Amino acid sequence: MAEPAASPTTAFPKPRTCPHSVDPEYARLRAEEPITKVSMLGGNTAWLVTRHDLVRQVLGDTRLSSDRRNPGFPRFTADQGNIFQDLPPSMIGMDPPQHTEARRAVLGEFTVRRIEALRPRIQQIVDDRIDEMLAGPRPAELVAALSLPVPSLVSCELLGVPYADHDFFQQRSSRLVHRSTPFDERLRAARELRSYLDELVAAKERDLPDDLLGRQARKQRDAGEIDHLALVSAAFLLLIAGHETTANMISLSVLALLENPGARAEIVADPGKTLPAVEELLRYFSIVEGATSRVAVEDVEIGGVLVRAGEGVMALASAANRDPAAFERPDELDIGRKARHHVAFGFGPHQCLGQNLARMELQIVFDTLFRRVPELRLAVPAAEVPVKSEANVFGLYELPVTW
């Protein structure tokens, strides 16, 4: 078993400046040092894991904790953890048995059957947004017209959040996921969101409506006592995770399909190819980096390297999903690829709870947009599309299109 390197030689995370590629240093590390020490931007060090099989090992190992309160947890910013210290951990930061119980409590909200029941409403949301875009001026800005409002409306529908408030939580969640946001702004955004959700959850506890938060409050009440802070924490996670990730995947995927007219034509001609295309796009972009962070709670061997208790570990999905040992020609976008073993949604106990909902939203958006606007095209050169190079959830700031 190899001993740890004396000092990290690589800084992490590296900015993503191109929508279609990840930093070439990750490919070198995957081939030569698939587990290596890195310096985190937040000031501490961690092990970076880049190989597909090792990433899956990390994400499935219960000796590696998701508890963000641990001082060894990999930090993307110096203030990470401080802005959420007045909330109990959400599911993303829990370990068994607490995580098992919390996930089981909401698992019924994300079954295939319940998600499928949302399909007509999601279709209506997508159609309405495309109607509004087509009735407006050209060129249109797709992020504002479609990418952001669709998942925001769906999240609001699921959680029972008034859509009139979507600008409020979009602006604040955007500040939270951007690494360059100053600490005082991040703290203010977190507190404002916390205050908003505190009042929203209190209203759900009084009225017990038939939405996700209302049903969770009713379930807790029937079991004996409502855990208000836990519901606020869950709402925080579901609201931010539910729209920020899907919105960025819509923007990036539309850009990719506009640049690959053959692939776009395939899904228009045969909607049965859309879901495999969604899986490939998820693999290809792998937009989330922080959700797969862990910290060792006991010594663990990973890829022949000893990771000691208290050391942080970063399982890098974007590198794992470009691993040639797992995917042939991994840097190519191939919508016919069988890519379901990607780790864009994570792996193991913490695999994304809302993945079926995200897949459905993406499928409906692509099928509807390219069927209804077959002449859709970029309104600027692709190189001029602004990317979120410093965000913890990669995406596009704008996507100007015309038809």
Side-chain angles (χ1 to χ4, degrees):
M1 185 185 301
E3 282 294 320
S7 60
T9 57
T10 300
F12 181 85
K14 295 183 178 298
R16 291 177 66 168
T17 57
C18 172
H20 302 294
S21 63
V22 294
D23 195 287
E25 175 69 0
Y26 297 150
R28 184 194 69 77
L29 290 173
R30 187 177 56 232
E32 300 174 7
E33 301 175 76
I35 173 167
T36 188
K37 268 282 180 69
V38 293
S39 298
M40 299 294 297
L41 293 182
N44 61 350
T45 61
W47 290 99
L48 183 67
V49 181
T50 48
R51 216 171 67 196
H52 185 269
D53 61 327
L54 297 181
V55 164
R56 285 167 65 107
Q57 176 192 333
V58 166
L59 298 181
D61 196 324
T62 56
R63 295 172 296 177
L64 296 163
S65 167
S66 295
D67 191 342
R68 282 143 173 78
R69 296 169 298 181
N70 191 305
F73 198 87
R75 296 195 302 270
F76 281 71
T77 59
D79 61 80
Q80 186 173 318
N82 296 334
I83 59 174
F84 301 117
Q85 60 189 356
D86 58 346
L87 275 178
S90 63
M91 276 184 290
I92 200 172
M94 290 180 181
D95 295 323
Q98 292 82 7
H99 172 261
T100 308
E101 295 169 2
R103 188 178 177 98
R104 185 184 297 124
V106 296
L107 197 59
E109 302 287 347
F110 295 94
T111 62
V112 172
R113 181 177 180 181
R114 189 176 284 276
I115 295 303
E116 191 62 32
L118 289 171
R119 183 180 290 274
R121 177 61 181 138
I122 298 174
Q123 183 66 62
Q124 180 186 354
I125 288 169
V126 172
D127 278 321
D128 288 348
R129 299 310 304 183
I130 293 175
D131 285 343
E132 189 169 328
M133 184 182 77
L134 294 176
R138 285 179 281 179
E141 202 287 284
L142 195 89
V143 173
L146 188 68
S147 303
L148 276 173
V150 167
S152 293
L153 277 162
V154 173
S155 293
C156 289
E157 186 89 12
L158 186 70
L159 297 174
V161 176
Y163 183 65
D165 298 338
H166 73 284
D167 279 342
F168 173 88
F169 64 75
Q170 277 178 6
Q171 291 171 7
R172 283 147 186 84
S173 63
S174 178
R175 292 177 206 163
L176 288 174
V177 301
H178 208 286
R179 293 192 290 269
S180 64
T181 303
F183 171 68
D184 59 340
E185 288 186 32
R186 286 167 55 82
L187 184 61
R188 184 165 58 251
R191 286 176 172 170
E192 289 172 350
L193 264 177
R194 158 70 191 272
S195 178
Y196 171 82
L197 291 171
D198 196 51
E199 294 179 11
L200 178 74
V201 169
K204 303 293 184 184
E205 292 166 354
R206 290 191 301 270
D207 301 335
L208 301 175
D210 189 23
D211 54 44
L212 188 150
L213 293 176
R215 289 189 292 270
Q216 290 300 303
R218 183 185 300 275
K219 185 185 297 185
Q220 290 188 6
R221 185 205 62 180
D222 292 346
E225 184 179 3
I226 293 176
D227 189 336
H228 177 77
L229 284 181
L231 282 177
V232 172
S233 184
F236 209 121
L237 172 66
L238 293 170
L239 188 63
I240 295 177
H243 82 267
E244 188 72 32
T245 49
T246 306
N248 285 298
M249 271 304 304
I250 290 172
S251 301
L252 287 164
S253 299
V254 170
L255 173 64
L257 291 169
L258 290 178
E259 291 187 280
N260 290 268
R264 186 179 72 221
E266 281 191 56
I267 63 174
V268 170
D270 181 3
K273 294 183 177 180
T274 306
L275 276 178
V278 166
E279 298 300 334
E280 171 66 351
L281 289 159
L282 288 162
R283 178 202 72 84
Y284 185 74
F285 288 116
S286 302
I287 61 173
V288 179
E289 291 181 326
T292 51
S293 309
R294 299 289 188 269
V295 61
V297 292
E298 59 182 274
D299 291 357
V300 182
E301 181 182 348
I302 303 172
V305 172
L306 178 65
V307 175
R308 297 196 180 278
E311 294 183 327
V313 180
M314 283 295 313
L316 188 57
S318 59
N321 284 337
R322 298 291 183 104
D323 188 343
F327 304 96
E328 187 178 354
R329 298 172 286 103
D331 294 324
E332 295 181 20
L333 180 67
D334 177 4
I335 67 166
R337 186 195 306 274
K338 294 180 180 179
R340 281 299 291 260
H341 57 300
H342 67 74
V343 289
F345 286 125
F347 182 74
H350 280 274
Q351 194 169 22
C352 176
L353 191 64
Q355 60 184 289
N356 289 327
L357 179 59
R359 286 185 175 103
M360 179 183 290
E361 289 180 63
L362 294 169
Q363 177 191 23
I364 292 173
V365 166
F366 303 153
D367 282 343
T368 308
L369 179 64
F370 295 119
R371 171 178 52 81
R372 293 193 55 191
V373 198
E375 296 179 357
L376 191 73
R377 64 183 187 276
L378 291 175
V380 299
E384 295 180 13
V385 174
V387 300
K388 297 179 178 180
S389 59
E390 300 291 343
N392 289 336
V393 181
F394 184 60
L396 305 177
Y397 286 111
E398 296 178 351
L399 184 61
V401 295
T402 191
W403 54 93

